[in-house]
Every structure is written in C-alpha cells, then in structure tokens.
Amino acid sequence: MKFKIATALVAVTLAGSAVAQEAGDAAAGEDLFGKRCRSCHMIVDDSGATIVKGGRTGPNLYGVIGREAASVKDYRYKKSIEEAGEKGLVWDEASFEAYVQDPTGFLREYLDDKGARSGMTFKLREGAPDVYAYLASLTGEM
Ligand code: HEC
C-alpha cells in the first residue's frame, strides 16, 4: 500500500517538475551520477568499454533501465533484491526512482516483508528523475 502512495508521490513530483521541463534532465543526471553513485557503481557497456569508471560495491548500472532487478551475472546481490527480481521486479521509471530514494523501504513494500533489507545503504534525496533520464539515455530506453 505504502508503495502505491510513494509511486503516486513520485508521479506528483514529476508532474510538478514537468512544468519547468518535460522530463528528467540527463545532463544534470550525469553530474549527479558522478557525485553520488560512481563511488559504488561503474557503467561499463556490453562490449566492455568503460563509460564511467566507478566502484565495485554495487553492480554495473549499464542498461539497468528495462532490466530485471538483480540480474548482473557476476555480481553477488543480497537476498531481498534477488527475491524481488524473482517476483518480477523490472527497473522502470517508477520503480527505479522509488528504489534509489529508499532502497530498503522500497524492498519492504515490494516484498511485503518488514525484514527485507537492501545492500545499498545510500538514499538519493533529490534528482532521481535526472539520474533516471541519464541512465535511460545510455541505452535509448527513454
Ligand atoms: C554506498 C554504495 C552505493 C551508492 C553510493 C549507491 N549504490 Fe546503488 N547499489 C549499491 C549496492 C551494494 C547495490 C546492491 C544491493 C543489494 O544487493 O541489495 C546497489 C544496487 C543498485 C540498483 C539495483 C541494480 C540491479 O542490478 O538490480 C540500482 C538501480 C542502483 N543501485 C542505483 C544507484 C544509483 C542511481 C545511485 C546514485 C544515486 C546509487 N545506486 C548509489 C551500492 C550503492
């Protein structure tokens, strides 16, 4: 239930910012990725070319939009996100933006399990639509 409310809030926020601009700003998202995500996540394309050199704490985020959760082959995810992937969670605009703002809270709602936990300890307070636009633009998923 709470997830529905969170999704509605994201939608309202998006509608609000759509007055100023159509959708997330990919250039601002690229900047934010460098500041907030790169320490834990790299972006390496399917040919192995590095787009953003980053840390290995989290999985490679190339092509994450449109992909099933927890599906990077050589990355060892925690149990809760694996379960969410098995239940059919796919990263689209709504799920991605809700997740990056509160990974553990999102998984608890999605799995309806108060004991669920995310291995991602970071919460992005602002700019999720921009980061979404940036990551989606890398693979033309917009
Ligand atoms: C402190 C390290 C850290 C930071 C900073 C961080 N992440 Fe993560 N992220 C992780 C870890 C670890 C996981 C794997 C979570 C698990 O196994 O439960 C993850 C998982 C994810 C996933 C799920 C990927 C998949 O394959 O299903 C997404 C999407 C994601 N992060 C996006 C982001 C974005 C966008 C940012 C920046 C706004 C960010 N993360 C910042 C550590 C981090």
Side-chain angles (χ1 to χ4, degrees):
M1 254 341 199
K2 269 219 202 99
F3 172 54
K4 288 214 178 92
I5 295 167
T7 310
L9 277 177
V10 168
V12 168
T13 313
L14 280 176
S17 63
V19 176
Q21 49 190 203
E22 282 308 315
D25 178 341
E30 180 173 9
D31 192 47
L32 213 52
F33 189 92
K35 287 186 180 137
R36 297 288 156 80
C37 319
R38 196 172 77 97
S39 56
C40 294
H41 291 281
M42 69 187 90
I43 303 181
V44 176
D45 77 12
D46 295 339
S47 73
T50 296
I51 297 172
V52 176
K53 197 171 177 223
R56 294 179 173 273
T57 308
N60 176 13
L61 290 183
Y62 182 81
V64 69
I65 307 303
R67 170 167 99 194
E68 190 179 288
S71 56
V72 172
K73 295 263 175 310
D74 54 0
Y75 183 80
R76 289 189 59 190
Y77 293 91
K78 296 274 189 272
K79 198 167 113 266
S80 298
I81 196 171
E82 293 264 10
E83 275 173 30
E86 280 158 23
K87 254 182 96 178
L89 175 62
V90 169
W91 297 122
D92 60 13
E93 184 161 9
S95 61
F96 173 86
E97 291 176 9
Y99 175 82
V100 297
Q101 290 177 68
D102 182 3
T104 290
F106 175 84
L107 291 175
R108 285 181 182 176
E109 296 300 336
Y110 189 82
L111 297 170
D112 194 17
D113 173 4
K114 286 190 172 60
R117 288 191 74 85
S118 173
M120 176 162 145
T121 52
F122 175 80
K123 290 182 181 182
L124 182 68
R125 292 187 196 286
E126 275 177 68
D130 295 341
V131 179
Y132 170 82
Y134 169 60
L135 290 173
S137 74
L138 295 176
T139 43
E141 283 287 343
M142 290 296 275

